[in-house]
Amino acid sequence: MDVASKSRRLDAIEALQTQTIELPSWAFGNSGTRFKVFAQKGVPRDPFEKIADAATVNRFTGVAPSVALHIPWDKVEDYGALAKHAADLGVRIGVVNANVFQDDDYMLGSVTNPDPRIRRKAIAHLMECVDVMDETGSRDLKLWFSDGTNYPGQDDISARQQRLGDALAEVHSRLGDEQRILLEYKLFEPAFYTMDVPDWGTAYAHCMKLGTKAKVVVDTGHHAPGTNIEFIVAVLLRADMLGGFDFNSRFYADDDLMVGAADPFQLFRIMYEVVRAGALGPPSEVAFMLDQCHNIEPKIPGQIRSVMNVQEATAKALLVDAEALAAAQASGDVLGANAVLMDAYNTDVRPLLVEVRTGLGLDPDPMSAYARSGYGERVIAERVGGRQAGWGA
Ligand code: PSV
Ligand code: MN
């Protein structure tokens, strides 16, 4: 290995040891499709147990120090106690996700509903989420609106945009100095004709209007098939408008499968744009979150595998020979430039990640270390009775 490759490898190890990936509390609860939710043994009964499971993922991967909450799924009496519980287990509360999509009132929308009473109710919930952020020390409020219409003429598209902008402005003015709104877009579902925030352009326009405390979230499952997501990432990063990712993978629509499972090459291309922009770690404030459901696979190993998939894509992105790539690009060497990128992608980074983990004092194989730990069997034995947590409960 030449000197430049050696130093690239060392830099990659350092970057991978300080990389952080946030876990979603809901990934540990039962989930399914609209056809069936399959209950799994040992699933948490409350947010405290979800955090214990997330902390277990962090214990074996070393790079997942925060847990995103979803309110009201993670509603508790005392958020200070929840934050302390997290800290005691070596993790912290991350992004707070609002939920204005599971109440009968929201059938025709939440903050864009034609009925002002329902709009007020939705905004009150968003404000409540900022209160939770204050109590848990969380920086980000992630907003995803299921709002939209199913039929042409059902409601006024432009008026709905106005209501959305007004609601966002109200919430934005309630944020503390260090707090942010992360606005998520989604092409379709549950609405099928118009979504009120269907794409990054709409999210970008609203965030721009709000000011510096609002950024766009890219959920990798929320685009039309074939969309070039890394292009969106590059454009948002250039404009300093990328707030974070909801990582997952999809074969068809918003499948919420394990990130890197369907298209590891796409994940590499996304991570390459992140690395190229210097946005992997501080001072960049991009939040790297998972947003997944493990419907048929066990949840804790599913999260461990997902974290490892992000690490592998990141490692490959960090190994791209930037100098050789720039030279090939500048000289118009199309095949040479492509080869530089593909060389990095085709590198087996598993030995490098073993070094990353042993350097952190971890077992080099998180999946089998978790299996050997007996944690899975212990929670199955202990978590008897009570009501298992689930997507929507
Ligand atoms: C909506 O599909 C979404 O991606 C949002 O991030 C929600 O908060 C999350 O999924 C719920 O699972
Ligand atoms: Mn999401």
Side-chain angles (χ1 to χ4, degrees):
M1 199 184 288
D2 61 40
V3 179
S5 314
K6 260 194 202 148
S7 101
R8 217 171 14 255
R9 200 169 182 281
L10 287 176
D11 290 349
I13 291 176
E14 201 184 314
L16 289 158
Q17 285 176 333
T18 49
Q19 179 179 26
T20 56
I21 299 160
E22 182 159 312
L23 310 180
S25 68
W26 55 100
F28 300 98
N30 284 324
S31 60
T33 64
R34 63 202 169 97
F35 298 100
K36 172 71 181 164
V37 171
F38 295 103
Q40 294 189 16
K41 288 187 179 142
V43 156
R45 281 89 41 91
D46 59 39
F48 289 85
E49 291 181 349
K50 289 184 199 173
I51 286 178
D53 287 2
T56 303
V57 174
N58 185 47
R59 185 149 65 86
F60 291 100
T61 61
V63 295
S66 60
V67 194
L69 299 185
H70 215 296
I71 308 296
W73 301 342
D74 295 318
K75 216 173 173 124
V76 290
E77 286 288 306
D78 183 349
Y79 288 99
L82 192 65
K84 182 172 181 310
H85 172 69
D88 289 345
L89 297 174
V91 293
R92 62 183 167 76
I93 306 295
V95 170
V96 172
N97 288 258
N99 183 326
V100 279
F101 52 88
Q102 283 186 311
D103 193 294
D104 283 341
D105 269 345
Y106 299 140
M107 187 171 76
L108 300 181
S110 63
V111 294
T112 68
N113 196 298
D115 181 342
R117 180 192 67 81
I118 294 173
R119 295 205 292 275
R120 287 255 47 93
K121 172 175 165 170
I123 292 170
H125 171 70
L126 305 185
M127 297 299 194
E128 178 199 345
C129 288
V130 185
D131 294 341
V132 173
M133 290 160 68
D134 289 342
E135 287 171 61
T136 54
S138 166
R139 179 190 56 172
D140 295 325
L141 173 67
K142 179 141 73 70
L143 300 179
W144 173 69
F145 297 105
S146 60
D147 298 39
T149 64
N150 271 6
Y151 296 100
Q154 179 191 317
D155 196 8
D156 188 289
I157 293 173
S158 180
R160 291 178 78 92
Q161 286 298 308
Q162 182 67 43
R163 295 172 203 146
L164 172 65
D166 291 347
L168 288 172
E170 203 173 325
V171 178
H172 190 262
S173 67
R174 159 75 181 83
L175 294 176
D177 289 345
E178 304 301 323
Q179 293 174 334
R180 311 186 298 177
I181 282 178
L182 302 184
L183 183 58
E184 185 174 350
Y185 58 89
K186 183 172 180 178
L187 175 66
F188 84 101
E189 198 201 22
F192 297 116
Y193 171 56
T194 59
M195 288 290 279
D196 291 322
V197 191
D199 52 32
W200 68 275
T202 309
Y204 185 112
H206 279 285
C207 288
M208 284 288 283
K209 192 144 190 235
L210 289 172
T212 53
K213 290 189 280 187
K215 306 276 177 196
V216 179
V217 173
V218 174
D219 182 314
T220 48
H222 287 189
H223 307 85
T227 300
N228 183 333
I229 300 177
E230 63 269 26
F231 178 85
I232 298 170
V233 170
V235 171
L236 289 175
L237 280 169
R238 238 176 85 74
D240 191 22
M241 290 302 279
L242 182 67
F245 289 96
D246 266 4
F247 280 132
N248 49 62
S249 65
R250 54 81 74 77
F251 288 98
Y252 298 102
D254 188 21
D255 304 350
D256 279 344
L257 298 173
M258 292 188 297
V259 59
D263 189 349
F265 185 41
Q266 180 190 61
L267 183 58
F268 160 76
R269 299 191 313 261
I270 291 172
M271 291 314 295
Y272 170 69
E273 291 306 327
V274 169
V275 167
R276 189 227 162 269
L280 187 61
S284 150
E285 294 187 329
V286 175
F288 297 89
M289 304 169 280
L290 305 182
D291 177 8
Q292 303 181 170
C293 294
H294 304 289
N295 300 350
I296 58 169
E297 68 275 23
K299 293 151 199 312
I300 297 172
Q303 287 283 291
I304 294 176
R305 169 56 67 201
S306 305
V307 169
M308 292 171 73
N309 287 352
V310 175
Q311 287 181 299
E312 284 186 21
T314 310
K316 291 176 182 202
L318 287 162
L319 292 183
V320 171
D321 183 343
E323 261 177 50
L325 183 61
Q329 289 172 344
S331 66
D333 181 359
V334 176
L335 294 177
N338 179 240
V340 172
L341 218 67
M342 295 312 293
D343 273 348
Y345 177 64
N346 288 318
T347 307
D348 181 357
V349 292
R350 288 171 298 181
L352 183 144
L353 284 162
V354 164
E355 276 184 59
V356 168
R357 293 182 186 117
T358 44
L360 289 172
L362 299 167
D363 190 292
D365 180 353
M367 291 294 282
S368 65
Y370 168 75
R372 275 184 277 112
S373 73
Y375 183 90
E377 291 78 7
R378 185 157 62 75
V379 292
I380 287 176
E382 284 174 7
R383 294 177 183 168
V384 203
R387 186 154 163 266
Q388 292 191 318
W391 198 94

